[in-house]
Amino acid sequence: MSATKFSNPVVSWIDHRLPIFSAAEHFASDYPTPKNLNYFWNFGSLAGFTLVVMIVTGITLAMSYTPHVDYAFGSVERIMRDVNHGWLIRYIHMNGASFFFIVVYIHMLRGLYYGSYKAPRELLWIIGVTIFLLMMATAFMGYVLPWGQMSFWGATVITNLFSALPYVGDAITTLLWGGFAVDNPTLNRFFALHYLMPFVIVGVVMLHIVALHRFGSNNPLGIDARGPQDTIPFHPYYTIKDLFGLSVFLCIFAAAVFFFPNFMGHPDNYIPANPLQTPAHIVPEWYFLPFYAILRAVPDKLGGVIAMFGAIAVLFVLPWLDRSPVRSAKFRPIFKIFFWVFVADCLLLGYLGAKPAEGIWVTLSRVGSIWYFAHFLIILPLLSVIETPRPLPQSLSQSVLGGSGAMAGAAAAPKEKA
Amino acid sequence: MRKFFLAAILTFFSLPALAAGGGDVVLKHKDWSFNGIFGTFDKASMQRGFQAYREVCAGCHSLNYIAFRNLADLGYNEAEIKAIAAEYEVMDGPNDEGEMFMRAAIPADYFPAPYPNENAARAGNNGAYPPDLSLITKARAHGPDYLYSLLTSYKDAPAGKDVPDGMYYNAAYSGNMIAMPQPLYGDDVEYADGAETSVSAVSADIVNFLMWTAEPSLESRKRIGVATLFFLIVFTGLSYGAMRFIWADVKKKAA
Ligand code: HEM
């Protein structure tokens, strides 16, 4: 890493003392990347893009937003009506949150399908789950800010959950509220935290990328790249592919922002918060629905809270639950079936989270929740032992870009680690 | 993996619809001029709706987020807006003596509310609260159709259904018992342009007006949206071409 690497003398002088240009080159340019990544590998950069969009629109909103119970709703309406293009900024931020979750959910399912959480990428996965948790907290607090009916009642329901914790529960809820109910102090601290958390996410995303670059991307075959014949430089190949993915994403995102901006929202949030009037159904934003269903599936409040957080906690230990040495579902016929059943189960739970907690819906939620945990705690550990994986290809370059005839070494053991 | 993608798209489109929650009532659907990606407001109808709001609804319902100056969107000129504003009185002050006083409204003022506060509104309406109408078409599921249905679905209660005192039967309202007396009976207003004044025609005018109060940026939003999407689709095509071009050598080697 010599200073002569850059022809521009200023760049070279700076880089010798502060190697930011080398770092940039390492991270974005000559970073070797598997040749065979499919479009599911676009979602990481899309998530990063969405995070930046959220921060830019969020800071712009904050310039005209008033965190006070008497003015918050009105200030958001001022943004919609009197701030130049305020409606656009607000609709981007509002829909951006939903698209952030769509992108991240696809990103995570990609990891589940191709076994990206397995050695040596366990920490990368764990950091990712941490980002997911921080995102949920950020989005939850952001949804409270416009101070509509769902803002208020969603905040009330969710903050109340913490009171179920033994010993510390009441202290935690009082701390969250800044008093004895959701009120002005709650709104103020949620605004402060909602402003802070995205920057914490930026920090954790950096860790995520450092961890990623240690071993590079996984790939649809789930076997390691063995040398230069298996990889291509990130730039220009994946920069242009990410750009293409981004433009497709932007088309869909723009269609939502400009033509269906309130489709993913709840109409009740256009009614100012009223602590004296409970809405008929309190439903969280769609991206929380599967977890909400798990929460309500347990008859006991504390049990429900534990189950809900447990649903995320199992993701942290996933690398040690699935012990199969084969990463990609492509070579795991039984795992593949259970993967799709799991996806269906999450969709079912999302559906149930929007239904009233009564009758058949509760029963179904229980079945769905049990399956969710069984998938991680029973099925995956069991499959690691009983499933016979299909033979793995010898190397990436032999079966690159859809060529399926290149299964050399068909009888070789599935262990592919170099 | 294609299935995977389909599933993701399906979640995206089905969950919010479910979250919005179904109702127990049947709505009348109308083909509003503001629907669709090229939708625009019907200004003549909005002006009539504004008149109907002023003459019928304003006695009970406020319109807190609308200032007189906003009426320019309906096609009124400055002089007309000044004249409309001047018909209202608003409280101002304190003056040099420290007293609050009433004066004629100017375009910068917001529409005065019929009641000074919620308690007064309830006291005047048998304990029920007539909500602010500025955002009503966004604050209800399928807002425009719902509002239209609500205004046109007052009926005699079916036999055997008891309607308590101060309540009215409405087929579009959840639970069918609403505390708002039927506001429109037909010929409640007289339009200068001679347009129809049946209950359904006036209701449609009111919906056009109240969609604008809820979403005044709707027209520019859709206009900018069409242009943005056009640009993005072209850009997507270009970036696809560039990608194919750059990847050509990798693909050739692989083949
Ligand atoms: C991780 C990134 C972020 C997420 C997921 C997120 C999420 C949200 C959500 C769901 C809402 C409610 C939208 C609505 O219904 O109106 C919201 C509102 C808001 N957010 Fe964020 N946000 C993020 C970053 C930021 C940042 C960096 C700021 C900077 C201060 C910010 C400032 C605001 C403000 C002022 C509001 C209230 C205005 C409004 O409701 O439109 N957000 N956010």
Side-chain angles (χ1 to χ4, degrees), chain A residues 50-51 54-63 65-66 76 79-80 89-91 93-98 100-101 134-136 138-147 151 191 194-199 201 269-270 285 287:
Chain A
T50 316
L51 177 60
M54 293 309 283
I55 289 178
V56 171
T57 52
I59 291 175
T60 317
L61 285 172
M63 292 173 187
Y65 170 78
T66 312
V76 172
I79 292 172
M80 295 293 287
I89 307 283
R90 198 242 173 165
Y91 278 157
H93 197 76
M94 200 168 121
N95 287 277
S98 280
F100 201 4
F101 277 92
L134 290 170
M135 272 175 69
M136 298 218 281
T138 308
F140 164 65
M141 288 190 274
Y143 193 60
V144 176
L145 301 185
W147 209 242
S151 299
F191 180 50
H194 184 68
Y195 208 135
L196 169 70
M197 303 268 282
F199 297 94
I201 295 180
N269 231 26
Y270 282 108
E285 292 277 86
Y287 35 81

Side-chain angles (χ1 to χ4, degrees), chain A residues 377-397:
Chain A
L377 299 176
I378 301 173
I379 297 171
L380 290 187
L382 212 61
L383 282 187
S384 331
V385 181
I386 61 169
E387 185 184 38
T388 318
R390 303 222 322 262
L392 293 171
Q394 200 96 72
S395 80
L396 291 185
S397 50

Side-chain angles (χ1 to χ4, degrees), chain A residues 34-40 43 73-74 77-78 80-82 85 87-88 90-91 98-99 102 105-106 109-110 113-114 232 236-238 240-241 243-245 247-248 250-252 254-268 270-272 274 277 281 283-284 286 289-290 339-340 343 347 350-351 354-355 397 400-401, chain B residues 1-5 7-22 36-38 65-66 69-70 110 118 122 129 134-136 138-142 212-218 220-229 232-244 246-255:
Chain A
K35 279 178 174 177
N36 60 330
L37 301 187
N38 61 26
Y39 282 110
F40 288 101
F43 287 87
F73 190 89
E77 278 310 311
R78 293 284 295 213
M80 295 293 287
R81 292 157 194 272
D82 293 337
H85 293 97
W87 56 268
L88 179 57
R90 198 242 173 165
Y91 278 157
S98 280
F99 275 80
I102 293 171
Y105 277 136
I106 297 178
L109 285 175
R110 185 279 317 260
Y113 187 84
Y114 293 111
I232 45 180
Y237 296 104
Y238 285 108
I240 187 69
K241 194 172 175 182
L243 184 71
F244 169 62
S247 33
V248 173
L250 283 178
C251 287
I252 303 171
V257 165
F258 288 107
F259 303 126
F260 315 99
N262 293 306
F263 178 72
M264 287 183 282
H266 197 292
D268 276 22
Y270 282 108
I271 305 171
N274 182 353
Q277 192 180 61
H281 299 291
V283 278
W286 69 264
L289 289 175
F339 171 83
W340 289 112
V343 172
L347 293 178
Y351 176 82
K355 291 282 167 197
S397 50
V400 90
L401 301 166
Chain B
M1 256 351 237
R2 190 161 299 144
K3 271 185 288 177
F4 182 27
F5 198 59
I9 293 198
L10 271 179
T11 350
F12 167 37
F13 283 108
S14 62
L15 288 180
L18 297 166
I37 66 170
F38 298 107
Y65 294 107
I66 300 298
R69 63 182 159 82
N70 298 135
Y110 283 76
E118 181 175 334
R122 283 188 191 276
Y129 178 54
S134 321
L135 280 162
I136 202 79
K138 276 159 78 180
R140 298 289 182 276
H142 314 287
W212 167 76
T213 62
E215 187 79 1
S217 59
L218 182 141
S220 49
R221 166 159 66 74
K222 295 193 174 181
R223 208 169 348 98
I224 298 174
V226 170
T228 308
L229 222 65
L232 284 173
I233 288 171
V234 172
F235 187 79
T236 304
L238 289 177
S239 58
Y240 182 70
M243 181 180 72
R244 291 297 296 260
I246 288 174
W247 276 76
D249 58 334
V250 179
K251 298 233 166 190
K252 217 182 297 140
K253 248 180 263 161

Side-chain angles (χ1 to χ4, degrees), chain A residues 340-365:
Chain A
W340 289 112
V341 175
F342 175 74
V343 172
D345 186 47
C346 291
L347 293 178
L348 173 74
L349 284 171
Y351 176 82
L352 296 169
K355 291 282 167 197
E358 57 198 29
I360 179 77
W361 307 123
V362 178
T363 319
L364 284 172
S365 300

